[in-house]
Amino acid sequence: MNTSITEIQNIRGLLEDKLQHKYLEKYIQKPKIDEEKLRILTSLVNNKVSLNPIQRERYIITAMLVQIALDTHELVPVRNEWDETKEDKLTKQLRVLAGDYYSGLYYLLLSEIEDFDFIHTLASAIRKINEYKIMLYYKEVESFEEFIVLTKKIDSMLILHVAQFIYGSTLDQVISDWLFTDRMTREIKEMQLNGEFPLYEIWQAIDETSNYSVFITKINGIIYENRVELPSLISNLPDNFMFLKKYLRNSINETEQHDPFTAEEG
């Protein structure tokens, strides 16, 4: 079974319907849906023939709601209260409430099908992701390499737990390497447009002596290494992941048509 563009668009539409909240949208930016995670998650779930259509839809939407809730909480700015305006405080409070609201939606959906094993899977992923975020928040990182490892785990942990739950097989390296490569490629392009690089800001808070040019060089090096190693990792996936192999190969080919290594040094 292959996942078509129409199926992805349908799931995205259902997800956007769940996310609609007029009051929140009035004061804060509409939550972003990570397209790459949505596509990989949809491919993983839709190609498990033992799941019925209702299960597939619920698994994808609930997992993405969790991801969006985590991402929304991550957008809450960390600054001293005396530096905040009333508008800043309102935005912060609403982002916290929005993240809680999206979390509540996925609990509601899962309770309707009484899938307690899947609830446990998502809860386990959330716990680990929050543990890793706390390590970054309290600067419990001793090196740049450890920082990258934690970042990759935070990015991929939810999807990896879902994959493990559905297939009982580990896809850790290939999915985490690809998601990190895709994210960094996008962030570098966005940095060229607006001058902001969120990951560097996090690293700078951990290592105040960090140098932007050195950081960019290291990130580009990781992207290059991942691009070299990913084809082999994909080829070594079991045959029952043929759908994922095809998808990842196509995604890599598409991104390689553009040059991600042209970030201006600042």
Side-chain angles (χ1 to χ4, degrees):
M1 180 184 297
N2 294 318
T3 300
S4 67
I5 295 176
T6 302
E7 288 175 298
I8 296 288
Q9 291 175 337
N10 181 51
I11 290 292
R12 197 185 198 289
L14 292 173
L15 187 56
E16 288 178 336
D17 287 343
K18 297 291 183 184
L19 293 171
Q20 282 187 348
H21 193 293
K22 291 182 179 179
Y23 182 77
L24 291 175
E25 290 176 6
K26 181 179 179 180
Y27 292 99
I28 61 176
Q29 184 179 4
K30 190 175 182 179
K32 290 184 178 180
I33 297 174
D34 190 313
E35 292 290 343
E36 194 62 22
K37 289 180 181 178
L38 175 60
R39 290 169 184 167
I40 290 178
L41 189 61
T42 303
S43 296
L44 288 169
V45 174
N46 276 1
N47 283 276
K48 187 64 175 179
V49 294
S50 62
L51 296 176
N52 64 52
I54 293 178
Q55 286 177 309
R56 292 183 193 130
E57 181 181 301
R58 291 285 170 82
Y59 282 6
I60 297 167
I61 291 178
T62 52
M64 285 304 299
L65 283 172
V66 173
Q67 187 66 63
I68 291 167
L70 291 166
D71 292 344
T72 301
H73 280 150
E74 197 166 317
L75 291 173
V76 176
V78 179
R79 58 164 64 99
N80 293 325
E81 289 188 4
W82 53 81
D83 293 332
E84 294 180 341
T85 65
K86 289 184 177 180
E87 185 177 348
D88 289 334
K89 291 180 179 179
L90 176 60
T91 299
K92 177 188 285 189
Q93 292 167 352
L94 286 173
R95 280 178 175 159
V96 172
L97 290 173
D100 293 342
Y101 172 70
Y102 303 141
S103 297
L105 287 177
Y106 96 80
Y107 279 118
L108 175 62
L109 288 172
L110 285 179
S111 67
E112 291 175 355
I113 56 174
E114 298 184 346
D115 200 328
F116 301 112
D117 289 337
F118 194 57
I119 292 174
H120 176 75
T121 294
L122 295 180
S124 177
I126 293 169
R127 176 179 58 80
K128 290 184 178 180
I129 289 170
N130 285 332
E131 287 175 358
Y132 297 142
K133 285 185 176 181
I134 288 172
M135 291 177 68
L136 292 182
Y137 182 82
Y138 287 105
K139 305 178 182 180
E140 299 174 7
V141 179
E142 297 182 356
S143 67
F144 176 80
E145 290 71 25
E146 186 178 351
F147 169 69
I148 294 300
V149 169
L150 280 178
T151 300
K152 289 171 69 174
K153 286 181 177 179
I154 291 170
D155 270 356
S156 61
M157 187 62 63
L158 187 70
I159 288 181
L160 293 177
H161 268 60
V162 174
Q164 179 73 21
F165 173 78
I166 295 174
Y167 293 97
S169 301
T170 178
L171 298 166
D172 287 26
Q173 187 173 359
V174 67
I175 288 182
S176 63
D177 282 359
W178 169 243
L179 286 177
F180 185 79
T181 301
D182 176 71
R183 173 187 170 184
M184 290 301 97
T185 301
R186 285 185 285 108
E187 288 199 6
I188 286 176
K189 290 178 180 178
E190 290 173 7
M191 180 274 296
Q192 291 175 303
L193 294 174
N194 57 36
E196 297 179 357
F197 200 155
L199 191 67
Y200 176 66
E201 294 175 8
I202 297 173
W203 173 241
Q204 192 176 38
I206 295 173
D207 182 4
E208 296 179 359
T209 65
S210 62
N211 178 277
Y212 179 79
S213 297
V214 173
F215 180 85
I216 287 292
T217 299
K218 288 182 177 180
I219 292 296
N220 281 338
I222 295 172
I223 293 175
Y224 176 78
E225 290 175 2
N226 286 352
R227 290 257 181 92
V228 171
E229 295 175 359
L230 275 166
S232 177
L233 291 173
I234 293 170
S235 295
N236 291 331
L237 287 175
D239 290 340
N240 61 309
F241 289 113
M242 191 61 66
F243 65 93
L244 186 61
K245 288 185 178 184
K246 182 178 179 181
Y247 173 76
L248 291 175
R249 283 171 179 152
N250 289 338
S251 296
I252 291 172
N253 288 336
E254 287 178 10
T255 56
E256 284 181 346
Q257 294 175 5
H258 307 280
D259 181 14
F261 307 119
T262 55
E264 295 179 3
E265 294 185 355

